Amino acid sequence: MKNLSIMKILLIVFVSVITVAALAVGIVCVVSHNSVTDKGGMENNMANFVDECVYSIHGGMEGESLYIRLSTDENGSAVIESSRIPYNGAPEETKTLSVPFEAVEKIRAVCSECGVMGWGKLKYSEIIALDAPTVSLTFSVKEENISVTFNSNQELPEGCNGIFNEVHNILMSYLQGDD
C-alpha cells in the first residue's frame, strides 16, 4: 500500500514537471515569435527586414520613365536615388538624398499590411492597356538575398491594389521634401 502511495506521488510530481516544462517552452516560443499578420491573416516575418524598395514606371504614350530607389546602407542610414525622363527625348533628371530612417519604416509598414513578402507568384491580368505605362515595385531584404517584384499588369491580392500609389506617395514626399 505504501509503495502505491509513493508511486502516485511520483506520478503526480512527474506530470507536474512535464506540464510546467511544456508551459515554459510555449511561453518562450510565443515571446520570441515576432511575426506580423497581414490583411489576409497570413504571417509575414520578412516585412520587418525590408531594406530596399524600388519603384519604377516606364512606357506609355509620352515615354515617361521614373526610377526611385530607397535603400539603407551599412550604417543604417536611408538614401533615395531617383532618375526621371519626363517624355521621349527629354534630358534625364537625377537626384540623390539622405532621408530619415522613418521612410524605410513607412515602406515596411506597407509591406507588412499587404503581406507582400509572402505573395509568391502572381497571375497576369487578362486585360492590359497597351498604351498605359507599367508600374513595377520591388521589395528586398538584401542580407537574406530575398526580393519580391510585381507590376501593374498583375492581379494583386484583394485589398492591395492601392500599393503602387501608397509607395509612390511615400517616396515622393521625401524626394520633394514634404516630410
Side-chain angles (χ1 to χ4, degrees), residues 54-57 65-69 81-84 175:
V54 175
Y55 174 96
S56 67
I57 184 169
S65 172
L66 174 64
Y67 174 88
I68 306 172
R69 178 177 172 252
E81 302 167 86
S82 73
S83 168
R84 179 175 182 254
L175 272 173

Side-chain angles (χ1 to χ4, degrees), residues 25 31 35 69 81-82 91 115 128 139 143 146 149 153 169 179:
V25 168
V31 169
S35 66
R69 178 177 172 252
E81 302 167 86
S82 73
I128 296 174
F139 298 100
E143 185 175 304
I146 296 171
T149 301
N153 293 326
N169 291 340
D179 277 335

Side-chain angles (χ1 to χ4, degrees), residues 2-22:
K2 190 174 181 180
N3 284 342
L4 189 57
S5 295
I6 293 173
M7 295 279 282
K8 283 183 180 179
I9 291 172
L10 287 174
L11 182 60
I12 290 170
V13 169
F14 178 74
V15 168
S16 298
V17 168
I18 295 296
T19 303
V20 169

